[in-house]
């Protein structure tokens, strides 16, 4: 067996043809042929190492997991230092607290939203700028890096905040004009910093993501930028540097359960993940490949249930209506990271993966074989929640246990309940711990959360925050309260076409877009 961690790890493209180091994968984001970079082998975490990790703080655990992929190139000490720095910006004492909601049935919630922008995207985007900086150093890249980002609401803000005023970088964010929650939009449009650009697109998230991916893949566009000394990179979960820090919290939740005496080494547990672009849940599957005892990964979708149908039928079909829901960060039809999983279940068949992605682009669907479907059935459980199911689940948990959650986590809870029913029907009901990943602070969606918990409908987000505080006694994050007093800097709107979006990025790369200076008041 290859000794991992002692030599540089390589990454290969899911569509074949390219092999790069971790640092190169991070700088580049996407493979040249449009494929995604995946580790050539999955590094293993041994039982001894797991035991050592129980003694570690969260930043140390994160650095340890990252080190499995990147230590040889970026340096183990460097990784430790930057994880300490990144997670010190979190507002809770433990950056990722594991909350016991119902000890009897083993229901736990892993809160991933205590970072600067109140969503789980901070878990990776507080670390990524450091990973990118060092990756540029070790690969000898001196170009300015332009982080080109499509967002369904939360990645945009987390990328803007993570890269704000980082020397040698610029961030451009495209968000769907009608597709993000009010608080998410405000968070982005009041962004400070001299290297940032935010634009609304007259389309949905899939439109934004498709345009961004096309820009990445365009040789002509990249050559034009290169002449200006600018190079594109990605803060979306298509970038391995974004995915890697997300693997760590699966390990951490497991270790916390051991420390709390709830499980023993080797016991397999389930995770429920509210899913959109399939980045979060894929990180869980990667943790499993690295040796973490995971039984099932439960993939929770909202009304845009392409993934739930895929897990049921083995057909990925995007010929359907797009719905706007109260969990906007999951309003996605084309889940990019599924490509990485397809590559693995196909036996790492790059040709077949490329063909399927071509079918998806051209025929709007592809299917997998029975053999592949069987593998997925063993490892995953897919479900979806309607808006009513979501509200019901949020209400029930608040009513019974006094625990308030956001709308995305509500989707996960509703699917968790379906999973419990499925277990019961199949005579395999047990009370082994199930960890639900909580991806956003409830105060990011105050009106919807207030409505779900109390039936109260308020028109104004800040009034929603106030009422929600009275109801839950949970402290609202200062970063959200402050938005109210900050001027809107970005009002740019572009048409949903590649030409206009590309033109905007070009102007930004040339330094032409100077947003109104932030008020000093
Ligand atoms: C991004 C996001 C998700 C979906 O995560 P993916 O990695 O895209 O599957 C779920 N909930 C919230 C709050 C998010 O911001």
């Amino acid at each position: 067996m290859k000794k991992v961690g002692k030599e540089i790890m390589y990454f290969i493209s899911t569509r074949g043809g390219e092999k790069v180091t971790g640092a190169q994968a991070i700088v580049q984001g996407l493979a040249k042929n449009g494929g995604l970079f995946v580790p050539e082998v999955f590094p293993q975490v041994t039982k001894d190492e797991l035991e050592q990790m129980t003694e570690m703080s969260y930043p140390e655990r994160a650095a340890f997991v990252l080190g499995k992929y990147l230590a040889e190139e970026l340096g183990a000490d460097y990784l430790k230092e930057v994880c300490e720095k990144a997670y010190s910006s979190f507002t809770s004492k433990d950056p990722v607290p594991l909350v016991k909601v119902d000890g009897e049935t083993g229901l736990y919630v892993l809160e991933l939203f205590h970072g600067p922008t109140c969503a789980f995207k901070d878990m990776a985007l507080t670390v990524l700028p450091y990973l990118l900086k060092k990756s540029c150093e070790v690969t000898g890249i001196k170009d300015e890096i332009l982080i080109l980002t499509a967002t369904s609401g939360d990645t945009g803000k987390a990328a803007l905040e993570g890269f704000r005023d980082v020397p040698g970088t610029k961030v451009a964010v495209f968000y769907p004009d009608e597709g993000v929650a009010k608080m998410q939009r405000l968070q982005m449009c009041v962004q400070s910093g001299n290297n940032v650009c935010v634009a609304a697109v007259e389309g949905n998230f899939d439109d934004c993501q498709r345009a961004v991916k096309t820009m990445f893949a365009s040789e002509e566009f990249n050559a034009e930028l290169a002449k200006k000394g600018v190079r594109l990179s990605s803060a979306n979960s298509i970038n391995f540097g974004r995915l890697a820090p997300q693997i760590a919290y699966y390990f951490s939740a497991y270790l916390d359960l051991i420390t709390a005496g709830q499980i023993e080494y080797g016991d397999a547990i389930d995770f429920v993940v509210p899913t959109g672009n399939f980045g979060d849940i894929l990180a869980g599957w990667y943790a499993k490949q690295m040796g973490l005892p995971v039984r099932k990964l439960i993939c929770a979708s909202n009304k845009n249930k392409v993934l739930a149908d895929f897990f049921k039928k083995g057909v990925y079909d995007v010929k359907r209506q797009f719905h706007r829901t109260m969990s906007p960060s999951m309003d996605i039809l084309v889940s990019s990271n599924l490509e990485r999983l397809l590559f693995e279940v196909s036996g790492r068949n790059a040709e077949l993966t490329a063909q399927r992605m071509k079918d998806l682009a051209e025929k709007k669907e592809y299917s997998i074989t029975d053999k592949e479907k069987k593998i997925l059935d063993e490892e995953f459980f897919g479900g979806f929640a309607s808006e009513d199911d979501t509200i019901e689940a949020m209400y029930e948990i608040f009513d019974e246990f006094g625990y308030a959650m956001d709308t995305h986590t509500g989707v996960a809870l509703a699917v968790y309940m379906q999973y419990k029913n499925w277990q019961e029907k199949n005579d395999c009901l047990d009370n082994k711990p199930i960890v639900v990943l909580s991806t956003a602070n409830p105060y990011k969606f105050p009106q919807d959360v207030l409505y779900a918990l109390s039936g109260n409908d308020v028109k104004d987000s800040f009034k929603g925050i106030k009422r929600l505080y009275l109801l839950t006694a949970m402290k609202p994050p200062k970063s959200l309260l402050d938005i109210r007093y900050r001027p809107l800097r970005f009002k740019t709107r572009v048409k949903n076409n590649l030409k206009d979006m590309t033109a905007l990025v070009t102007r930004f790369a040339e330094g032409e877009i100077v947003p109104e200076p932030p008020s000093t008041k």
Side-chain angles (χ1 to χ4, degrees), residues 118-121 152-155 184 237 242 246 273-281 307 329-330 332 337 406 408-409 438-441 444-445:
C118 306
F120 96 93
K121 306 298 197 287
S152 57
D154 289 329
T155 293
Q184 292 177 314
S237 49
R242 161 76 194 277
Q246 296 178 183
V273 191
T275 297
N277 219 0
F278 212 75
D280 197 1
I281 194 165
L307 283 166
S329 298
M330 295 160 67
I332 294 176
N337 274 292
D406 96 289
H408 302 74
T409 312
S438 177
T439 47
N441 190 307
K444 253 193 137 159
F445 310 92

Side-chain angles (χ1 to χ4, degrees), residues 279-441:
D280 197 1
I281 194 165
L282 185 82
W285 192 79
Y286 274 24
K288 186 174 182 179
Q289 305 317 301
M290 295 173 74
L292 187 73
V294 175
R295 188 170 60 177
K296 272 207 193 305
L297 288 159
I298 296 140
C299 177
S301 304
N302 66 20
K303 205 171 161 191
N304 295 294
K305 59 185 183 65
V306 190
L307 283 166
D309 290 344
F310 171 71
F311 282 114
K312 198 164 151 198
K313 298 180 200 144
V315 181
Y316 199 92
D317 180 358
V318 293
K319 299 187 296 302
R320 62 178 75 208
Q321 203 196 330
F322 177 87
H323 301 285
R324 282 181 55 201
T325 71
M326 56 184 186
S327 45
S329 298
M330 295 160 67
D331 290 345
I332 294 176
L333 297 183
V334 181
S335 300
S336 284
N337 274 292
L338 191 64
E339 179 171 345
R340 286 187 163 113
L341 183 66
L342 284 175
F343 177 70
E344 301 293 343
V345 297
S346 71
R348 300 203 140 196
N349 187 334
E351 209 176 310
L352 182 59
T353 308
Q355 183 59 47
R356 283 174 173 159
M357 292 304 113
K358 195 161 170 260
D359 288 346
L360 183 63
E362 289 167 8
K363 299 178 193 153
K364 306 291 171 211
E365 73 163 69
Y366 63 80
S367 47
I368 57 171
T369 65
D370 290 345
K371 194 176 142 209
E372 291 169 321
K373 168 91 172 37
K374 231 175 119 193
I375 302 174
L376 292 185
D377 284 346
E378 263 164 43
E379 310 242 326
F380 290 88
F381 175 92
F384 75 96
S386 68
E387 299 287 87
D388 283 348
D389 296 341
T390 306
I391 288 174
E392 186 67 27
M394 289 167 73
Y395 178 79
E396 231 175 85
I397 297 291
F398 182 65
D399 188 49
E400 202 169 336
F401 305 104
Y403 186 78
M405 70 189 80
D406 96 289
T407 45
H408 302 74
T409 312
V411 170
L413 244 300
V415 174
Y416 156 84
M417 289 168 183
Q418 292 168 15
Y419 177 65
K420 286 305 235 186
N421 287 337
W422 174 87
Q423 277 192 327
E424 199 170 358
K425 256 195 239 148
N426 287 278
D427 280 328
C428 58
L429 188 63
D430 56 33
N431 291 331
K432 284 201 176 142
I434 300 189
V435 177
V436 175
L437 271 52
S438 177
T439 47
N441 190 307

Side-chain angles (χ1 to χ4, degrees), residues 23 157 236 272 299 348 434 456 478:
K157 178 62 183 180
N236 286 104
V272 189
C299 177
R348 300 203 140 196
I434 300 189
N456 264 320
K478 190 170 174 300

Side-chain angles (χ1 to χ4, degrees), residues 32 66 74 107 109 161 237 325 370 380 411 445 457 495:
K32 289 198 181 80
L66 280 175
L74 306 190
L107 171 61
V109 172
E161 201 50 44
S237 49
T325 71
D370 290 345
F380 290 88
V411 170
F445 310 92
D457 221 347
K495 289 229 161 50

Side-chain angles (χ1 to χ4, degrees), residues 151 172-177 189 197-201 208 490-494 504:
T151 185
V173 171
F174 289 108
Y175 71 90
D177 194 21
C189 294
C197 170
V198 178
V201 177
C208 297
F490 296 99
K491 295 166 192 166
T492 314
R493 232 174 129 205
V494 289
L504 185 80

